[in-house]
Amino acid sequence: MELRYYFKPNTIYCGDNLKVLKSFPDECVDLIYIDPPFFSGKNYDLVFGDKYAIRAFQDTFEGKKETYLSFMEDRIREMHRILKPTGSFYLHCDWHANAHLRVLCDKIFGENNYRNEIIWRIGWLSGYKTKKVGWIRNHDTIHYYVKSKDFTFNKEYIPYKDDYVRRDGKKPTGKGLPIEDTWNCSRGDILNSIAIMSFSKEKLGYPTQKPESLLKRIIKASSNEGDIVADFFCGCGTTLAVAQKLNRQWIGIDVSPIGCTVMAKRIGYKLKDVQGMKYSLKQAHELDWMDFQKWTIKAIDGIPLTKKGADKGVDGWQNNNKFNESVPIEVKQHTIGRPDVQKFNTVIEREKKKGGFMIAFKISKPAIVEIKRLKRETKRDLIFISFDELMDKGILMRKGATKPDNVQMLF
Ligand SMILES: C[S@@+](CC[C@H](N)C(=O)[O-])C[C@H]1O[C@@H](n2cnc3c(N)ncnc32)[C@H](O)[C@@H]1O
């Protein structure tokens, strides 16, 4: 199936950003912030509580810097094309590739349009990191470019502390200390990474999630209310959430259905509102069945089992339902037939439960008839949830989050 994307502000796109970007018109966004894979050679997992992890994205590029840089070049060229002449571009990276990306962006934006190399200090250090021999790495780099001399910039200040006095001993006048290009590096400028704050309320379990305060600074400085702010590697949607709070329009793209699920919930969107989501998830289930299975179980607020086959015929458990007890969940890759229903019924009987959930793309007519018969004759309630229904009504739950009303509609 060939999917066509169309440009619409306040939209989340699930798919490869190159393909989505190519469908966008020239000069249509005011500000771009990107936080792409850093060429770190790592895999990143979305972690639920302590036990459950789903692979969110990979940052390996087969270990080849050329592959990484050509991936970035194709995309940054498109971003330059769709940026308005008054627009700004922020590229978040670190020591792995910052020098290479600077050379690349100089080529695309022009050296004269390079405004700043922003150093973002990650925050205070503790534990094993402090034991490193040599200087401890503790900053990311944000390359800041504009498209022309006529760019939007709202100068920002750090308010003076009450005890602040000028060198001549007088109290200061004015708005405060103008912000420099070294962030989170001085007493008054607190902009810590949430990675170092174990109890941050912002944390959604998404790896590499950036703090809202960082995005707030960039968006306030380089856009105005009503402008379109874009993030084409938007992870769990930090840029979009902040843009929305600051009354900007926004555009977000991420290739990971896991990321798009988390960000849709964060923005208050349903999964069916995410352009390309259905298509990406179908692809994901073909690629990695275990991750897809865990995703679907989490999408109905269930708990996936960690070891495959540890509990025969049960892929996960659901505690929050009309049965008022923990019931089994089974996820099937194929269309559910009558024998599947009968097998699952045996599992429910064995577990002495009142019912359970079966999730699959489709269900056959004989299977539906069998579910009805079992309900009539045994009172056991086997609830079938189709993938399409999940897309429309399902929602990813986070540990400690309050249960949204629309989950109720499923059960
Ligand atoms: C470092 S994370 C971004 C985190 C984000 N700043 C946040 O606060 O949540 C990089 C993201 O780029 C996404 N990504 C990688 N390759 C992509 C591609 N070709 N198209 C779209 N997104 C991609 C990954 O899925 C991942 O979510």
Side-chain angles (χ1 to χ4, degrees), residues 15-17 33 35-37 56-57 71 75 206-210 231-238 253-256:
D16 182 357
N17 47 19
Y33 163 85
D35 173 26
F57 70 96
F71 166 92
R75 286 157 179 83
Y206 199 77
T208 71
Q209 180 186 349
K210 298 297 176 291
D231 185 340
F232 303 126
F233 292 88
C234 61
C236 64
T238 311
I253 311 177
D254 203 285
V255 73
S256 160

Side-chain angles (χ1 to χ4, degrees), residues 246-266:
L246 295 174
N247 299 322
R248 271 66 168 171
Q249 302 184 80
W250 48 264
I251 290 280
I253 311 177
D254 203 285
V255 73
S256 160
I258 309 296
C260 290
T261 307
V262 180
M263 89 176 90
K265 176 165 159 40
R266 187 174 189 180

Side-chain angles (χ1 to χ4, degrees), residues 126-312:
S126 61
Y128 78 96
K129 254 194 152 188
T130 58
K131 305 277 185 293
K132 181 178 187 274
V133 177
W135 311 121
I136 298 160
R137 280 197 188 110
N138 195 18
H139 78 273
D140 285 353
T141 303
I142 303 174
H143 291 310
Y144 163 41
Y145 286 85
V146 291
K147 199 161 172 184
S148 73
K149 286 200 170 65
D150 181 22
F151 59 94
T152 300
F153 195 80
N154 306 308
K155 203 167 168 65
E156 291 193 71
Y157 299 83
I158 297 168
Y160 295 118
K161 294 245 175 231
D162 290 344
D163 58 355
Y164 184 86
V165 281
R166 290 187 339 198
R167 251 186 281 173
D168 59 9
K170 290 187 183 147
K171 276 273 174 204
T173 52
K175 295 179 184 168
L177 295 165
I179 295 178
E180 302 166 6
D181 56 10
T182 50
W183 294 359
N184 198 28
C185 294
S186 63
R187 198 165 68 102
D189 184 23
I190 308 295
L191 214 62
N192 285 315
S193 164
I194 51 171
I196 60 163
M197 295 187 268
S198 35
F199 297 108
S200 166
K201 283 200 186 118
E202 272 183 47
K203 272 192 179 172
L204 297 172
Y206 199 77
T208 71
Q209 180 186 349
K210 298 297 176 291
E212 293 202 0
S213 53
L214 179 72
L215 270 303
K216 191 172 170 192
R217 174 167 295 179
I218 293 172
I219 293 173
K220 278 178 79 178
S222 292
S223 70
N224 294 311
E225 287 200 4
D227 281 357
I228 300 179
V229 175
D231 185 340
F232 303 126
F233 292 88
C234 61
C236 64
T238 311
T239 309
L240 319 190
V242 177
Q244 199 171 51
K245 284 182 195 162
L246 295 174
N247 299 322
R248 271 66 168 171
Q249 302 184 80
W250 48 264
I251 290 280
I253 311 177
D254 203 285
V255 73
S256 160
I258 309 296
C260 290
T261 307
V262 180
M263 89 176 90
K265 176 165 159 40
R266 187 174 189 180
I267 295 294
Y269 276 26
K270 288 188 174 170
L271 296 183
K272 66 173 179 178
D273 300 328
V274 177
Q275 263 200 49
M277 181 70 171
K278 220 169 194 170
Y279 180 67
S280 301
L281 261 180
K282 278 191 174 140
Q283 272 184 337
H285 117 276
E286 278 154 23
L287 293 175
D288 191 331
W289 168 244
M290 279 302 281
D291 278 353
F292 178 78
Q293 184 177 298
K294 283 192 221 161
W295 179 87
T296 49
I297 293 172
K298 290 305 297 180
I300 64 158
D301 194 15
I303 302 165
L305 285 184
T306 38
K307 274 192 209 146
K308 179 83 185 144
D311 203 350
K312 274 199 167 167

